Amino acid sequence: MQQQAIVVNEPTDATGLQLTRIPVPAPGPGQLLVKVAATGVNFIETYQRSGVYSVDYPFVPGSEFSGVVEQIGQGVQNFKPGDRVATASGVAGYSNYAVVDAELTAKVPDSVDLHIAAALPLQGMTAHYLVHSSYMVHNGDVILTYAGAGGVGLILTQLLKLKGATVITTASSQEKKDLAKAAGADYVVDYNQVAETVEKVTGGKGVNAVYDGIGKDTFDTSLAALRRRGTLVLFGGASGQVPDFNLQRLNAGGSLTVTRPKLADFLTSEQEMHWRFGDMVGWVATGKIDVRIGAQYPLAEAGAAHAALESRATTGKVILLP
């Protein structure tokens, strides 16, 4: 049986993402074949597509998707055809049908739309581990984040407010500032206003922690914003990777901590994955958090989705619909 998919044959720009036909894969032992309902579009796929990250060509991008189980592989016990599922660890999700290991898949309750569920595995669980595990936020903390209207940013702000934190974030346009404020951010400022805002809000003490997914362009500002024994969580590098720096800066800044985490290290067991995803879908189902789908594109327009993401023109989550 054939299906439609986006196949990347060599490093290319966004215009090189073309729809083609490939065989529907069969699930191996311990795997699920999922009929895809929606696929999350993420920066990692732009890096893979362009050759910044090494992949074996040809390949079909997409590890994050939601859908309905079509077929189960040998030995699968906890899933059956018809189950609604989502994952951040699938294979070839820019397609109509994709496979994933059952142990890396979570069930989606009927009360959560599958399009919303496609936005939760990567960005939702990233926000979850940031707030609950990388730096554990406490009631009354003052936290600095960036890109407050982005997919992670909007969810992160809502989780921070659930923990009782004061949130300072950034946005580059009035529309994005309005979205960040609606998510609960206490202060939404231009990037060049971060230092003065932190000074004013904290009375010169600095913030308890910074969640920084920008990297090279914001690293110095993030370090300077921290209070004594503050923590910088550098969870991404949208502007490029941070150059090597002198560790003595952490001592001079007030015994600071810098950590460079990744999601995979906070999903080290099936139980941990189900905890994080279960919290997220539960909060969505009960209305405690809202997930914004900022743009959705037909699968055939995956190139346009990549171009929009790379231009920083998007807000919330970008998804593909097969």
Side-chain angles (χ1 to χ4, degrees):
M1 189 167 66
Q2 296 284 302
Q3 63 162 332
Q4 292 185 317
I6 299 292
V7 178
V8 182
N9 292 304
E10 60 185 2
T12 181
D13 61 17
T15 63
L17 294 181
Q18 300 296 324
L19 196 65
T20 187
R21 296 191 69 81
I22 63 172
V24 173
Q31 291 186 323
L32 309 173
L33 175 66
V34 176
K35 184 177 182 180
V36 176
T39 302
V41 180
N42 299 289
F43 271 105
I44 188 172
E45 288 123 39
T46 71
Y47 303 148
Q48 293 167 334
R49 182 213 73 224
S50 63
V52 173
Y53 285 4
S54 177
V55 297
D56 293 327
Y57 299 101
F59 89 111
V60 178
S63 62
E64 180 187 40
F65 52 83
S66 64
V68 177
V69 175
E70 183 82 4
Q71 186 180 347
I72 63 173
Q74 181 182 357
V76 173
Q77 296 181 343
N78 296 325
F79 294 90
K80 64 183 185 303
D83 283 345
R84 306 167 82 247
V85 297
T87 185
S89 305
V91 177
Y94 284 27
S95 58
N96 300 138
Y97 295 88
V99 294
V100 61
D101 290 343
E103 66 180 7
L104 301 175
T105 307
K107 293 182 180 179
V108 177
D110 291 341
S111 57
V112 176
D113 183 271
L114 282 174
H115 292 180
I116 297 296
L120 290 174
L122 278 175
Q123 293 176 337
M125 289 196 293
T126 292
H128 190 285
Y129 91 73
L130 291 176
V131 169
H132 294 89
S133 302
S134 192
Y135 170 80
M136 290 174 280
V137 176
H138 299 92
N139 183 51
D141 281 354
V142 182
I143 306 295
L144 170 64
T145 75
Y146 298 95
V152 173
L154 288 171
I155 298 173
L156 179 58
T157 291
Q158 293 175 80
L159 297 192
L160 289 169
K161 296 310 296 182
L162 286 178
K163 298 289 283 187
T166 296
V167 180
I168 303 169
T169 193
T170 62
S172 58
S173 70
Q174 190 57 51
E175 177 193 7
K176 291 183 176 182
K177 288 177 181 178
D178 291 343
L179 288 170
K181 288 289 286 185
D186 299 281
Y187 303 90
V188 186
V189 299
D190 295 330
Y191 284 81
N192 61 6
Q193 296 175 313
V194 167
E196 64 186 79
T197 303
V198 168
E199 174 79 15
K200 178 181 178 180
V201 172
T202 67
K205 293 181 179 179
V207 299
N208 297 87
V210 182
Y211 294 112
D212 186 341
I214 305 298
K216 180 171 65 71
D217 289 351
T218 51
F219 181 74
D220 290 335
T221 300
S222 295
L223 272 187
L226 291 170
R227 67 180 58 191
R228 180 178 294 164
R229 292 176 11 203
T231 299
L232 168 54
V233 183
L234 185 69
F235 68 95
S239 68
Q241 301 306 310
V242 174
D244 294 344
F245 72 99
N246 186 348
L247 288 174
Q248 186 61 24
R249 291 177 63 185
L250 306 181
N251 175 289
S255 300
L256 307 178
T257 297
V258 175
T259 181
R260 181 60 174 92
K262 63 180 184 294
L263 177 60
D265 291 328
F266 293 84
L267 298 176
T268 56
S269 68
E270 191 173 356
Q271 292 74 20
E272 188 171 36
M273 185 268 291
H274 285 297
W275 165 45
R276 298 196 193 283
F277 191 78
D279 276 357
M280 295 306 303
V281 294
W283 291 327
V284 170
T286 57
K288 289 186 176 180
I289 66 168
D290 177 68
V291 177
R292 174 181 172 81
I293 304 298
Q296 55 187 39
Y297 294 83
L299 182 60
E301 297 178 15
H306 274 217
L309 197 66
E310 290 176 304
S311 72
R312 304 295 197 271
T314 61
T315 59
K317 184 68 176 183
V318 177
I319 61 173
L320 298 176
L321 303 181

